[in-house]
Amino acid sequence: MFAVGRTQLLLYLLAGAFRRKTLPKFPIYLDSPMAIEATRIYGKNNELFDEEGQEMVKSGELRKNLDIAKACPKPGDSRALNDVSGPCMIMAGAGMCTGGRIVHHLRHNLPIAGTVVLIVGFQSANSLGRRLVNGEKEVRIFGERVPVCASVHTMGGFSAHADQRGLLDWFGAIAPAKPRTIITHGEDRARGVFSELIRTQHGIKTDCPNLGDVIEI
C-alpha cells in the first residue's frame, strides 16, 4: 500500500538526499489523508526506527530536512495544488492510479510537458498505472481522453510484499494442516506458477478465481 510504508520510506530517503545535498530542496505536498495519518503514527513510534533513522530523529536532521513537506488533508488543499507554480512533488494515492486524489492530479498534469510521473509500486494489468508504465500516449480518465505529454519513470525496490520464495516459506508453516487455499493477488501467469508450486511441494490444490467468481467459504 502506497500510503502505509512506501510514503514514509520515500520521505525518509528524500530527507537523506536533502541532507547530503545530492538533491536540492523542493516543496513536497503529501496529498493523502491515510498517508498523513500513517506518517503521524510513524513519528510517534520512532524508537522502532533503525540506528540511522533514530540518529536523524535525535539530531533534528529529519525534521529539518523535511520542513518543506506540507500535509494536504482536506479536498480543498488538494484542489489548490493545481495552482502551485514552480517545481514540487505531489505524493498521492492510490498506488495503481485507479482511484483517490492521484487520478485528479494525473488528469490535470499529464497533458503538461515537463511533468514527471514517478511510479514506485507494481501496477496490475489494465490499471491506469500500468497503461502509463507501458508508455501509452493517451489514457482515459473520468471518461475523458487525456494526452500523456508527461514523462513516466518507475523506481523499484519499494514493495513490502514478500516474493515467491518468501510466500512459499510462509505457506510451509501452515501447509501440514492442508488449508483450503485461494490465490487472488497477482497476475494470472504468476498465480498459475505459484499454484503449481504449492501443489507439487505440499499436495494442496488451490483455487485461482477470476473477477466476478463467487466462492463459498
Side-chain angles (χ1 to χ4, degrees), residues 170-182:
W170 172 83
F171 187 78
I174 61 173
K178 300 296 181 183
R180 183 179 182 186
T181 305
I182 302 168

Side-chain angles (χ1 to χ4, degrees), residues 81-99:
L81 296 181
N82 291 339
D83 301 321
V84 171
S85 59
C88 68
M89 174 182 281
I90 299 173
M91 300 174 68
M96 294 188 195
C97 309
T98 52

